[in-house]
Amino acid sequence: MRPMFRVLASLLLMSFPLAGLAAESEAVRSPRATVTLVTDQAAVAPGGTVTLGLRLRLAPGWHTYWKNAGDAGAPPEINLALPEGATSGPIAWPAPERIEYGPLVNYGYHGEVVLPLPVTLPAGLTPGATLPIEGNATWLVCEQVCIPEEGSFRLDLPVEAAPRPDPATAPLFAAAAEARPRPSPWQARAALGPAGGVLTLEGPGLSRQTVREAVFLPEAPAVLDHAAVQRLTVAEGRVELALTAAPGGSAPAALDGVVLVTDGGGRRVAYDVSAAVSPGAPPAALPFWQAAVFAFLGGLILNLMPCVFPVLAMKAMALARLSGEARGKVRAHALSYTAGVLLSFAALGGLMLALRAGGAAAGWGFQFTAPGFVAGMAWLMLAVGLNLSGVYGFGGAFGAGSGVAGRGGHLGSFATGGLAVLVATPCTAPFMAAALGAALAMDAASAMAVFLALGLGLAAPYGLLAVAPGLAGLLPRPGAWMERLRQFLAFPMYAAAVWLVWVLAQQVGPDAVLAVLAGGVMVAFGAWALGQAQRAGGSRIALAAAALGLAGAL
């Protein structure tokens, strides 16, 4: 029985693919994605073609990108190390989703996606040998923040006289082929200019019953404003989509991309489109007055968003201090705060417009994609929290003691307005997306006016005191409760600092947490030393220690 047992055991082992000869590589895993290199064949043949694919399985809520990522992001890339004589073709991209994030629009994938690419093998391969294929890939995954990831992969495929499909991976490639855009059955033409554009499809099968929704996704970046509304017009045998040119861009000779069509039953089909472009087109963006109204309403609602809560602490203290003050002083502080908000919005809007004109993909909150900025904001939130806790004071000569920390001049009101803008930028509010999308398609003067309207909305609740300073009299009278409120309001600042450290950890990894926490210790030391200097009437040793602590954080 032993010889028979050995034969059966050998046959059983041969029925399972060896780990090194599997049609799917070892996985590269993170909390956000599981990525492998797969192939559609369990064995390859000399001179044949094999399809490889980068398989990305994304955690819920996370997405990666199409070949045109849209307003932000980057597509996955894979570099293969192939044997001599083998060549690879480009990725056959499945049709993407249109992913809206605040005023930004990106193109990419959720869930699971396979990005296939064909590889032609040399005719000199020897049956019975093993074909090694290695690859290095990079991909970007995003949720509230974006994390770059990378991995190395290896496949060892047996060479046989004829190719042998792999039944385990064949469904993956069949799904990827099904997800690819179909050739368009319609004639396409486009007109595109600085004022706007239109994509026209003509042919049989186009009607209000077959086209309920449609959107065009350009293949090339920096051609269209991705966030602009594409107004759809459907007639029998004809579909028109209004387009908006990217600010500072030039019209291409042809407009290539994908049209996603949703029919009356809710079924979505993607079509490849290539349309010759003629200059000029009707405007497609919101009119200026509507964009300005939407911006003001969005800024007003922005006061209720969670990211602005830390600044509400400072605004609450400022309002409490104004109770019982003369009307002229109330009006002046309200104007100082409003000026800080408007000047900060003007600077932020000017920077965004300049980056757009230079071809960069910059949208609302773009500065929070820079790790250095996030770290600096975390330290700033910590420093403001320590000030509210009474560790040190702002505004006045050293030696004024803790009373100085409870006051604050016009410079403090102005700086509070600027800080409100900086902290508000990770958030979006209703009406903002349409307003900012329209602004970035306008001329510079109109766009800046829309940004200032957004700032007026954000400043409106506090700026109302400039119009009606008597409202400050409705606030509770100053008293000992203000000191307790001030110290309590330090904790939203500490919470904001913790959240920013978490954002930084997602962006650049856990090593950054140690660096930013060490910097936070130095900021706290500098604040403590500054407070000691204030209480000691400006001690040079304490001042030097404060400067050393702040320099150490940087």
Side-chain angles (χ1 to χ4, degrees):
M1 293 296 292
R2 285 188 177 181
M4 181 61 70
F5 176 78
R6 289 173 182 171
V7 170
L8 291 175
S10 299
L11 291 174
L12 184 62
L13 288 173
M14 291 174 63
S15 68
F16 291 95
L18 296 178
L21 298 178
E24 184 166 12
S25 70
E26 292 291 332
V28 174
R29 303 179 189 275
S30 76
R32 300 161 291 276
T34 299
V35 183
T36 56
L37 184 65
V38 295
T39 176
D40 63 343
Q41 295 179 16
V44 297
T49 299
V50 61
T51 302
L52 302 179
L54 188 67
R55 183 185 186 189
L56 299 102
R57 285 165 284 181
L58 304 171
W62 292 84
H63 64 268
T64 191
Y65 293 96
W66 188 46
K67 56 183 171 182
N68 174 15
D71 283 322
E77 295 183 357
I78 181 167
N79 297 308
L80 297 175
L82 299 171
E84 186 176 355
T87 58
S88 65
I91 293 175
W93 295 90
E97 306 171 47
R98 191 173 185 268
I99 302 171
E100 297 184 11
Y101 183 73
L104 305 181
V105 169
N106 300 322
Y107 308 131
Y109 312 96
H110 288 95
E112 179 174 350
V113 63
V114 174
L115 306 178
L117 66 163
V119 174
T120 302
L121 303 176
L125 294 178
T126 304
T130 298
L131 175 68
I133 296 178
E134 296 181 349
N136 295 310
T138 59
W139 57 93
L140 187 67
V141 289
C142 297
E143 190 193 33
Q144 298 297 320
V145 295
C146 289
I147 311 295
E149 297 186 346
E150 61 182 348
S152 297
F153 308 94
R154 180 184 175 97
L155 289 171
D156 291 305
L157 302 177
V159 180
E160 298 180 358
R164 179 160 47 90
D166 190 294
T169 59
L172 299 175
F173 289 92
E178 181 66 23
R180 288 192 62 189
R182 304 176 182 181
S184 171
W186 309 298
Q187 292 183 343
R189 66 178 187 275
L192 190 63
V198 62
L199 173 67
T200 303
L201 304 176
E202 292 180 317
L206 295 174
S207 67
R208 296 183 183 277
Q209 290 72 37
T210 59
V211 182
R212 187 183 71 188
E213 298 176 1
V215 63
F216 176 71
L217 284 54
E219 186 174 295
V223 173
L224 298 181
D225 183 347
H226 307 297
V229 176
Q230 296 184 9
R231 188 178 63 251
L232 172 65
T233 303
V234 182
E236 192 66 33
R238 180 187 179 93
V239 165
E240 290 184 352
L241 279 171
L243 306 177
T244 303
S250 57
L255 196 58
D256 298 326
V258 172
V259 173
L260 302 179
V261 177
T262 303
D263 62 20
R267 178 172 173 264
R268 194 194 78 165
V269 181
Y271 296 94
D272 274 323
V273 168
S274 181
V277 175
S278 59
L286 288 175
F288 168 75
W289 70 268
Q290 189 175 358
V293 171
F294 278 14
F296 179 83
L297 293 174
L300 192 63
I301 298 172
L302 199 60
N303 284 281
L304 305 177
M305 306 307 287
C307 53
V308 188
F309 285 171
V311 181
L312 292 179
M314 290 182 290
K315 291 163 71 175
M317 285 305 305
L319 285 170
R321 285 195 296 266
L322 291 178
S323 178
E325 296 284 357
R327 292 195 173 194
K329 187 173 182 180
V330 173
R331 180 179 285 112
H333 275 279
L335 288 174
S336 297
Y337 173 79
T338 303
V341 171
L342 293 181
L343 186 61
S344 299
F345 263 108
L348 187 60
L351 181 58
M352 284 179 62
L353 292 174
L355 291 173
R356 284 275 178 155
W364 178 251
F366 68 94
Q367 70 272 24
F368 274 86
T369 61
F373 181 85
V374 176
M377 288 299 296
W379 293 334
L380 180 60
M381 293 294 102
L382 174 62
V384 173
L386 292 171
N387 171 253
L388 292 171
S389 293
V391 175
Y392 70 103
F394 271 137
F398 291 133
S402 59
V404 175
R407 299 192 182 96
H410 294 292
L411 181 60
S413 296
F414 180 88
T416 302
L419 185 60
V421 175
L422 284 179
V423 176
T425 49
C427 279
T428 57
F431 303 106
M432 278 182 59
L436 292 178
L440 293 175
M442 296 176 182
D443 60 88
S446 300
M448 190 60 67
V450 173
F451 275 101
L452 292 178
L454 181 61
L456 281 174
L458 180 65
Y462 195 77
L464 187 63
L465 294 175
V467 180
L471 294 175
L474 300 177
L475 299 172
R477 292 289 178 179
W481 63 271
M482 288 179 56
E483 177 65 20
R484 293 191 292 272
L485 176 64
R486 180 175 68 87
Q487 294 184 9
F488 172 78
L489 291 176
F491 292 96
M493 295 297 179
Y494 298 141
V498 171
W499 175 74
L500 288 166
V501 172
W502 176 84
V503 170
L504 191 68
Q506 298 299 307
Q507 287 179 326
V508 291
D511 290 345
V513 175
L514 178 60
V516 76
L517 290 179
V521 172
M522 298 305 293
V523 167
F525 174 74
W528 172 81
L530 181 59
Q532 295 300 308
Q534 290 173 332
R535 294 177 179 83
S539 166
R540 293 182 179 179
I541 296 178
L543 283 175
L548 179 63
L550 295 176
L554 300 176

